């Protein structure tokens, strides 16, 4: 009975994915590709190679942080669209601390850089939330504006303030990059290769999976505990659920909103660090954009569950890695992949709804049957 | 004998852990006023929601005018002539009465909203049933009673001839109740059928033709109003005799625990509170009577620290707490039952146990470092559920799944359990059944006996008179009269509440 319900619940996301693949398949057919072939390639490419697994986890790392940042905001009733700008400022601060502080041991420098990133995110979250609490300016508007300011500001810092003019060029090859100085070795986040080797796993060198991934999972678990076990998390949910009632109960709603939004900003500040400290090693004008917005989808799909964010972030990582494979082996153009990703996100959202509805209906039918049976046996 | 317009046969609806409606056979006759009564959680609202298509029954059949019918959803229900007036009005404040009535039922002429025709039809309806309603006023300018009238016109406009009302009188003052009943009688006389839920047995006996009693999801019986009385009904509902008046012992009041001095609150140019002074002593119950909207809400909100007064002071046991935030005021030992449980009292999407600790969750015995001690909380929550007879499957359910009266009990349990020194309670028994009212009143009197200061705000004069030692009447933001409960009557209080005696008139001239 409840065993069957369990099964349905477990099956729900899988059915949703199936539906998504179906809709995506229609698009693939439309551009003249064999969807089955494409999907087969995608799954084989993703699941049969160790470097793909590592890459999926690497790609999911920033999305875990941005998903968590958005989800924390939603839990307190605030829509943080500003994760995008917050991680840019976070990366900027982390980069500055990363190349400018010489002579520190790694166990001091690296944490400082990470803290600088979080501080940057908090800084960029601070203004919108203060404007909201003091002046009632809606956070959706202000954070969007802060995003644009952040892009421009980071560009300005890269090109005009900290432009690295001492780049060593390979003789006669190319032009200098538009970037800030390289981070010191003590500021780089080590990859997980060494650790995995001790477990007997030989991760190929071209995969940059680093310690931010386990850090993200750890943070998600910590946030889960905070939300559902700590007094602060209880207050956060209360304010998110009904601020007037929380206030009446004596909870300081303003302070809770402020701290929760700053927490969201601090998490956002971590989003760019896996790329910055674990891969590029410098901040340039091509620093990846868009993690903040994808984070909204990640959080929504996870229904703002902290642990769910881990799974949905990995799902997105899966799609992105799969896209690379499909592009390389099936010649599906990159733009189509982007469209496909959007379609899949949408279909998953729709499919989750449909499956939930179906599950509820099934439950109802089962209950009705049960009531009838009890009736027959009872009186 | 008139034929039944609605008949249910074996109607059953279960929620996880409870059978809310258990094989209900109900028979409603055309043109009658049929009251549904029963304890909190007996299944009244559920039954009504099934009849208006909000819930689907798990089992059983509904016969509408003799024909087996499946009521798919509220839209379908209204097509079948069944309209529901909800307790929480669904009106757009800034729209006019006409706009609100046609919202969702827009009759268009060549794609344009035909407001004039709609307005004419609304006037016709008001005329036919003797409703006093101006179709051009914005809803925000209407009193609660008038807003309810808009809701009734809304369902009539859509052609309903069966009108369902869930606790329509809970939010009304006595005068408005009389007007509502006059309207309902006229509706019934012209052939409309009215089904309504109420916990106020006097009202039920006054207006209903027949009364159906539910208990624990089952139908106990249907009786003619003339053939029963308050005691009989109460006993049918609760299954035991109920005390309607609670005794309280003479008690010499102690030190003033709550003192309000010269409190004023201005919003723009308007005074919401004007120079209110009162004091509540330990061992005393002070009742504030008044028609809703005369400053009572503002007064308690200012005392609690939810609003800052323009002038004046608030003292708790001689300590000035003016302008302190709610948490600090509560820290002085003040408990507060807000009048609107959904807006200020509960976090609807959180569980019952979580709501039982709202505001008390930082108590030392409930925390271990930054963490909450769930085991302790769950244990205490179960005790409170027992003590306050909150009907719930498990305290892990969201509080929104409780019946209205049981939600109110959650708030009362939380606020009375915190060992307060001062209790401020607005409409403490709103939505409770007779048994629960008896219990809550006993608790308040026990608090008085224990030396607490109790301030209650109620639109229910009977309640104010039964509980209070002293009574203050508010009108137009002022405390226009203060009397000992033993030296006044409901009639006299009613006069002051309407501002119609000399004293009150003076006050109004002052405000304007
Ligand atoms: N959506 C729901 N989910 C779970 N349980 C529910 C839900 N709605 C109602 N119930 C349960 O069904 C029972 C009957 O509830 P109902 O609201 O019909 O009571 P009621 O007679 O209207 O009570 P009251 O006088 O307090 O309003 C209660 O035990 C309630 O907890
Ligand atoms: Mg009810």
């Amino acid at each position: 009975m409840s065993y069957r319900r369990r099964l349905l619940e477990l099956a729900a996301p899988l059915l949703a994915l199936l539906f998504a693949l179906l809709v995506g398949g229609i698009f693939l057919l439309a551009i003249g590709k064999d969807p089955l072939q494409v999907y087969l390639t995608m799954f084989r490419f993703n699941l049969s190679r160790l470097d793909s697994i590592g890459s999926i986890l690497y790609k999911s790392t920033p999305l875990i942080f941005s998903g968590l940042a958005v989800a924390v905001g939603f839990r307190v009733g605030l829509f943080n669209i500003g994760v995008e700008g917050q991680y840019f400022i976070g990366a900027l601060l982390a980069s500055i601390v990363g190349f400018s502080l010489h002579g520190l041991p790694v166990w001091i420098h690296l944490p400082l850089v990470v803290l600088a990133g979080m501080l940057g995110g908090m800084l960029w979250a601070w203004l919108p939330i203060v404007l909201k609490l003091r002046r009632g300016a809606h956070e959706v508007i202000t954070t969007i504006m802060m995003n644009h300011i952040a892009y421009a500001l980071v560009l300005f810092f890269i090109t005009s303030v900290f432009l690295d003019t001492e780049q060593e060029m390979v003789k006669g090859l190319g032009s200098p990059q538009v970037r800030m100085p390289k981070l010191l070795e003590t500021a780089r986040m080590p990859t997980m290769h060494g650790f995995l080797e001790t477990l007997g796993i030989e991760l190929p060198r071209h995969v940059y999976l680093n310690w931010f991934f386990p850090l993200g999972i750890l943070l998600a678990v910590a946030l889960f505990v905070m939300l559902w076990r700590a007094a602060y998390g209880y207050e956060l949910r209360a304010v998110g659920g009904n601020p007037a009632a929380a206030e009446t109960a004596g909870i300081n709603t303003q302070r809770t909103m402020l701290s929760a939004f700053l927490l969201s900003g601090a998490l956002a500040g971590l989003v760019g660090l896996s790329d910055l400290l674990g891969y590029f090693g410098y901040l340039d004008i091509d620093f990846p954009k868009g993690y903040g917005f994808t984070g909204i989808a990640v959080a929504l799909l996870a229904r703002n569950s902290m642990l769910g964010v881990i799974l949905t972030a990995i799902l997105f990582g899966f799609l992105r890695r799969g896209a690379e494979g499909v592009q390389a082996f099936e010649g599906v153009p990159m733009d189509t992949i982007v469209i496909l990703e959007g379609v899949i996100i949408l279909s998953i959202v729709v499919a989750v709804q449909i499956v939930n509805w179906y599950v509820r209906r099934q439950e109802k039918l089962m209950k009705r049957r049960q009531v009838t049976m009890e009736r027959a046996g009872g009186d | 004998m008139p034929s039944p317009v609605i008949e249910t046969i074996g109607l059953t609806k279960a929620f996880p852990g409870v059978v809310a409606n258990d094989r209900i056979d109900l028979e409603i006759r055309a043109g009658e006023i049929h009251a549904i009564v029963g304890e909190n959680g007996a299944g009244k609202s559920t039954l009504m929601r099934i009849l208006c298509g909000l819930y689907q029954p798990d089992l059983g059949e509904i016969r509408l005018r003799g024909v087996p019918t499946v009521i798919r959803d509220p839209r379908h229900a209204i097509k079948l002539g069944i309209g529901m007036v909800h307790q929480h009005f669904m009106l757009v404040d800034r729209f006019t009465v006409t706009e609100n009535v046609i919202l969702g039922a827009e009759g268009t002429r060549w794609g344009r909203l035909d407001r004039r025709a709609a307005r004419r039809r609304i006037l016709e309806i008001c005329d036919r049933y003797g409703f006093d309603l101006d179709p051009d006023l914005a809803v925000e300018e209407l009193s609660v009673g008038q807003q309810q009238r808009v809701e009734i016109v809304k369902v009539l406009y859509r052609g309903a001839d069966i009108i369902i009302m869930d606790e329509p009188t809970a939010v009304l003052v006595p005068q408005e109740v009389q007007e509502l009943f006059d309207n309902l009688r006229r509706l019934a006389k012209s052939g409309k059928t009215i089904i309504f839920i109420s916990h106020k047995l006097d009202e039920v006996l006054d207006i209903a033709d027949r009364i159906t009693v539910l208990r624990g999801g089952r139908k106990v019986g249907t009786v003619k109003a003339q053939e029963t009385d308050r005691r009989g009904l109460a006993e049918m509902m609760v299954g035991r005799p109920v005390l309607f008046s609670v005794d309280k012992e003479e008690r010499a009041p102690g030190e003033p625990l709550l003192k309000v001095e010269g409190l004023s609150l201005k919003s723009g140019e308007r005074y919401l509170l004007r120079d209110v002074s009162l004091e509540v002593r330990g061992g005393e119950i002070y009742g504030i009577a008044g028609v809703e909207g005369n400053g009572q809400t503002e007064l308690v909100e200012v005392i609690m620290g939810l609003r800052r007064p323009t002038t004046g002071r608030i003292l708790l046991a001689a300590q000035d707490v003016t302008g302190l935030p709610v948490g600090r005021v509560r820290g002085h030992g003040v408990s507060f039952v807000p009048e609107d449980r959904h807006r200020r009292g509960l976090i609807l999407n959180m569980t019952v146990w979580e709501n039982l600790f709202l505001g008390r969750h930082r108590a030392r015995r409930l925390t271990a470092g930054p963490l909450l001690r769930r085991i302790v909380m769950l244990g205490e929550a179960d005790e409170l559920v027992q003590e306050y007879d909150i009907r719930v499957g498990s305290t892990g359910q969201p509080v929104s799944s409780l019946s209205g009266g049981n939600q109110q009990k959650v708030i009362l349990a939380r606020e009375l359990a915190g060992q307060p020194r001062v209790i401020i309670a607005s409409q403490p028994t709103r939505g409770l059944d007779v048994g629960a009212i008896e219990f809550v009143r006993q608790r308040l009197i026990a608090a008085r006996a224990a030396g607490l200061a109790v301030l209650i705000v109620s639109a229910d004069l009977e309640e104010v008179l039964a509980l209070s030692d002293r009574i203050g009447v508010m009108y137009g933001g002022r405390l226009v009269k203060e009397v000992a409960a033993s030296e006044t009557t409901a009639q006299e209080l009613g006069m002051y509440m309407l501002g119609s005696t000399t004293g009150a008139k003076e006050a109004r001239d002052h405000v304007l």
Side-chain angles (χ1 to χ4, degrees):
Chain A
M1 189 52 212
S2 78
Y3 151 81
R4 222 189 119 184
R5 206 184 121 184
R6 269 289 138 72
L7 211 70
L8 266 172
E9 257 168 21
L10 276 178
L14 292 178
L15 288 173
L17 202 62
L18 216 67
F19 175 79
L21 292 180
L22 212 76
V23 177
I26 296 172
F27 269 76
L28 286 169
L29 271 180
I31 60 163
K33 298 281 173 193
D34 175 2
L36 259 158
Q37 185 59 39
V38 171
Y39 287 144
L40 210 67
T41 307
M42 187 164 181
F43 275 88
R44 196 177 311 130
F45 178 74
N46 271 358
L47 297 178
S48 68
R49 306 164 47 143
L50 196 56
D51 63 343
S52 282
I53 305 281
S55 169
I56 288 170
L57 301 185
Y58 172 72
K59 287 177 196 306
S60 70
T61 305
L63 299 180
I64 294 180
F65 292 115
S66 64
L68 290 177
V70 176
V72 165
F74 274 134
R75 284 286 179 187
V76 80
L78 296 170
F79 192 0
N80 186 3
I81 301 194
V83 172
E84 188 75 13
Q86 287 150 20
Y87 89 73
F88 260 72
I89 299 298
L92 176 69
L93 250 60
S95 169
I96 294 172
V97 173
F99 68 70
S100 59
L101 293 183
H102 291 265
L104 294 176
V106 64
W107 55 274
I108 294 184
H109 197 190
L110 183 56
L112 272 183
V113 173
V114 173
L115 282 179
M118 296 172 77
L119 194 74
M122 270 165 87
L123 202 73
W124 224 239
W126 180 79
L127 192 66
I129 189 61
V130 167
L131 282 176
K132 163 130 192 157
L133 297 178
R134 290 272 164 80
R135 296 258 156 262
H138 202 287
E139 74 274 9
V140 166
I141 312 278
T142 50
T143 51
I144 288 178
M145 294 198 295
M146 293 296 279
N147 286 346
H148 290 288
I149 300 174
Y151 287 148
L153 204 67
V154 168
L155 199 65
F156 168 75
F157 268 94
I158 294 174
T159 55
S160 311
V161 185
F162 292 118
L163 183 68
D164 185 0
T165 49
E166 293 158 24
Q167 296 179 38
E168 279 175 37
M169 222 71 60
V170 185
K171 275 240 157 63
L173 257 186
S175 50
Q177 289 172 295
V178 186
R179 63 162 172 82
M180 302 210 321
K182 288 200 164 159
L183 304 190
L184 302 173
E185 266 319 300
T186 49
R188 300 295 299 264
M189 179 59 90
T191 61
M192 294 184 73
H193 291 87
F195 171 75
L196 289 175
E197 241 156 60
T198 64
L199 298 180
I201 301 170
E202 286 277 346
L203 195 62
R205 288 288 143 190
H206 64 268
V207 178
Y208 288 84
L209 182 63
N210 59 61
W211 288 94
F212 274 112
F213 177 73
L215 183 70
I217 292 191
L218 220 66
L219 261 178
V221 173
L223 286 169
F224 174 84
V225 172
M226 181 206 83
L227 208 56
W228 298 101
R229 291 292 183 273
Y232 175 73
Y234 170 90
E235 287 169 4
L236 195 155
R237 286 184 294 121
V239 172
N242 182 352
E247 184 195 13
T248 309
I251 294 171
N252 189 333
T253 52
Q254 301 252 323
R255 206 173 57 200
T256 309
M257 283 195 196
L258 179 75
S259 56
F261 203 75
L262 291 182
L263 173 63
S264 169
L267 291 166
L270 294 169
V271 170
L273 297 192
S274 168
D275 285 78
L276 182 69
L277 309 185
Y279 179 63
F280 292 106
Y282 53 79
L283 190 63
D284 72 346
I285 52 170
D286 287 330
F287 195 69
K289 279 187 181 178
Y291 289 146
F293 298 123
T294 312
I296 297 170
V298 169
L300 281 179
L301 212 53
R303 296 219 204 114
N304 303 321
S305 144
M306 301 296 143
L307 300 181
V309 161
I310 301 175
L311 292 180
T312 52
I314 291 177
L315 174 68
F316 276 75
F318 183 92
L319 290 178
R320 293 192 168 178
R321 174 63 178 178
E324 290 175 358
V326 171
Q327 192 183 8
F329 294 105
E330 295 293 330
V332 178
M334 194 60 205
D335 293 333
T336 319
I337 302 290
V338 174
I339 294 176
L340 202 63
E341 193 181 291
V343 169
I344 290 184
I345 294 172
L346 270 179
S347 340
I348 290 177
V349 172
V350 174
V352 165
Q353 291 300 332
I354 292 177
V355 170
N356 280 340
W357 169 82
Y358 177 76
V359 167
R360 268 202 306 273
R361 221 181 65 115
Q362 284 297 309
E363 269 174 23
K364 202 172 267 179
L365 286 178
M366 281 186 243
K367 201 175 64 189
R368 193 169 304 184
R369 227 167 285 146
Q370 186 192 16
V371 172
T372 325
M373 269 156 54
E374 274 169 12
R375 182 76 32 85
D379 311 61
Chain B
M1 195 170 93
S3 63
V5 55
I6 297 185
E7 201 178 356
T8 73
I9 298 146
L11 213 59
T12 299
K13 173 83 188 170
F15 293 109
V18 276
V19 183
N21 284 169
D22 190 359
R23 285 161 284 171
I24 304 253
D25 301 321
L26 186 69
E27 179 217 275
I28 310 275
R29 295 175 193 156
E32 78 170 333
I33 300 183
H34 196 113
I36 313 275
V37 300
E39 286 182 292
N40 296 127
K44 307 179 293 293
S45 298
T46 305
L47 183 58
M48 294 304 113
R49 285 182 193 145
I50 293 175
L51 291 184
C52 75
L54 276 166
Y55 289 158
Q56 291 304 315
D58 295 330
L59 282 174
E61 184 178 283
I62 301 171
R63 289 201 190 144
L64 201 59
R65 300 175 193 92
V67 186
T69 311
V70 174
I71 305 171
R72 287 194 301 267
D73 53 50
R75 258 175 192 281
H76 187 213
I78 197 81
K79 259 198 209 125
L80 297 168
I82 305 172
M84 176 128 173
V85 174
H86 291 274
Q87 191 178 337
H88 292 267
F89 303 147
M90 300 177 182
L91 300 172
V92 184
D93 277 353
R94 293 185 180 277
F95 280 17
T96 64
V97 170
T98 306
E99 287 165 336
N100 265 291
V101 169
I102 59 179
L103 193 68
E106 298 91 346
T108 53
R109 191 168 60 182
W110 298 313
R112 270 191 61 238
L113 259 182
D114 195 349
R115 237 176 265 240
R116 299 241 316 270
R119 186 174 177 280
R120 217 174 314 122
R121 263 194 65 205
I122 292 169
L123 281 174
E124 260 168 44
I125 291 172
C126 288
D127 213 39
R128 169 132 40 108
Y129 303 112
F131 286 15
D132 174 19
L133 199 62
D134 179 347
D136 303 319
L137 277 182
V139 159
E140 60 190 349
E141 293 170 54
L142 303 181
S143 71
V144 178
Q146 289 169 319
Q147 293 188 12
Q148 191 174 57
R149 229 166 282 158
V150 179
E151 287 282 8
I152 300 175
V153 170
K154 241 165 93 173
V155 297
L156 291 173
Y157 184 89
R158 286 159 175 72
D161 54 16
I162 301 163
I163 300 172
I164 299 176
M165 305 181 87
D166 195 347
E167 298 189 39
T169 58
V171 289
L172 301 182
V173 294
Q175 287 76 13
E176 290 176 320
V177 171
Q178 275 320 312
E179 286 171 45
L180 171 69
F181 283 0
D182 290 343
N183 291 336
L184 293 187
R185 284 201 186 92
R186 272 191 293 266
L187 284 169
K189 202 168 285 166
S190 64
K192 306 275 179 193
T193 306
I194 290 159
I195 312 174
F196 85 106
I197 298 175
S198 176
H199 287 295
K200 299 185 182 160
L201 302 184
D202 289 329
E203 293 175 3
V204 167
L205 290 165
D206 173 20
I207 178 111
D209 299 311
R210 294 193 308 151
I211 303 164
T212 293
V213 182
L214 300 185
R215 184 163 81 224
R218 301 201 178 190
K219 185 175 116 171
V220 179
T222 299
V223 289
K224 283 198 180 128
Q226 291 111 334
E227 291 168 7
T228 183
D229 61 8
R230 202 157 76 134
R231 279 180 199 285
L233 264 186
E235 207 170 327
M236 262 175 105
M237 279 170 57
V238 185
R240 64 170 168 87
V242 177
L243 300 173
F244 285 98
S245 59
V246 277
D247 294 326
K248 54 178 203 258
E249 289 171 16
E250 276 304 315
R251 196 182 187 293
E255 292 294 299
L257 292 182
L258 169 66
K259 222 168 159 174
V260 167
E261 291 177 359
L263 218 55
S264 293
L265 179 69
K266 255 175 120 168
S267 155
E269 279 307 292
R270 223 155 59 91
Y271 276 98
L272 299 173
L273 288 176
R274 181 126 193 194
D275 197 23
V276 176
S277 298
L278 60 86
E279 104 185 0
V280 190
R281 296 166 169 273
E284 182 184 46
I285 298 181
Y286 190 106
I288 291 188
V291 176
E292 237 164 298
N294 277 282
Q296 304 95 312
T297 310
E298 288 77 11
L299 176 63
V300 293
E301 286 186 359
V302 167
I303 295 175
M304 285 311 297
L306 287 162
R307 286 174 176 229
R308 231 168 228 283
T310 313
T311 56
R313 295 201 307 161
I314 299 144
L315 302 168
L316 286 172
Q319 283 203 47
D320 195 334
V321 296
T322 321
L324 289 186
V326 190
R328 299 277 300 283
V329 175
R330 281 181 176 269
H332 278 85
V334 184
S335 269
F336 177 47
V337 178
E339 61 180 348
D340 185 338
R341 56 179 169 246
H342 283 177
R343 208 173 94 68
R344 285 210 176 270
L346 298 167
I347 316 271
L348 284 175
N349 62 355
M350 284 170 81
T351 63
V352 172
W353 73 265
E354 283 172 325
N355 273 282
L356 279 169
F357 290 98
L358 199 62
R360 305 192 291 133
H361 58 282
R362 292 266 185 189
R364 188 150 324 137
R365 66 173 199 295
L366 300 177
T367 53
L371 298 184
L372 293 172
R373 297 173 62 179
R374 267 166 73 99
I375 310 266
V376 179
M377 291 173 108
L378 287 170
E380 280 188 31
D382 281 337
E383 281 167 28
L384 285 175
V385 164
Q386 281 286 325
E387 187 181 342
Y388 285 81
D389 190 24
I390 301 170
R391 308 281 167 91
V392 57
S394 110
T395 56
Q397 267 172 251
V399 79
S400 58
S401 71
L402 262 59
S403 78
N406 283 300
Q407 291 179 358
Q408 181 72 7
K409 288 190 212 165
V410 168
I411 300 176
L412 286 162
R414 172 179 83 210
E415 298 298 331
L416 296 181
Q419 291 182 339
R421 285 192 296 166
V422 176
I423 298 172
I424 298 174
S426 287
Q427 321 294 351
T429 59
R430 176 175 284 176
L432 295 186
D433 65 49
V434 281
I437 288 176
E438 173 194 336
F439 174 75
V440 169
R441 290 187 181 169
Q442 276 167 353
R443 290 305 292 251
L444 290 174
I445 285 169
R448 167 183 178 269
L452 276 63
V454 182
L455 179 72
I456 59 167
V457 178
S458 180
D460 182 351
L461 281 182
E462 194 258 325
E463 172 150 300
V464 173
L465 279 164
L467 284 173
S468 314
D469 298 299
R470 284 190 299 145
I471 297 171
V473 182
M474 288 199 72
Y475 179 76
R478 265 180 180 266
L479 201 63
V480 292
K481 180 75 183 172
E482 194 172 87
V483 285
S486 52
E487 288 162 18
T488 187
T489 60
Q491 284 75 11
E492 192 193 357
L493 290 177
M495 303 270 269
Y496 281 107
M497 281 166 65
L498 293 174
S500 63
T501 66
T502 36
K505 194 175 253 157
E506 227 171 65
R508 185 172 53 184
D509 295 343
H510 239 90
V511 171
L512 297 178

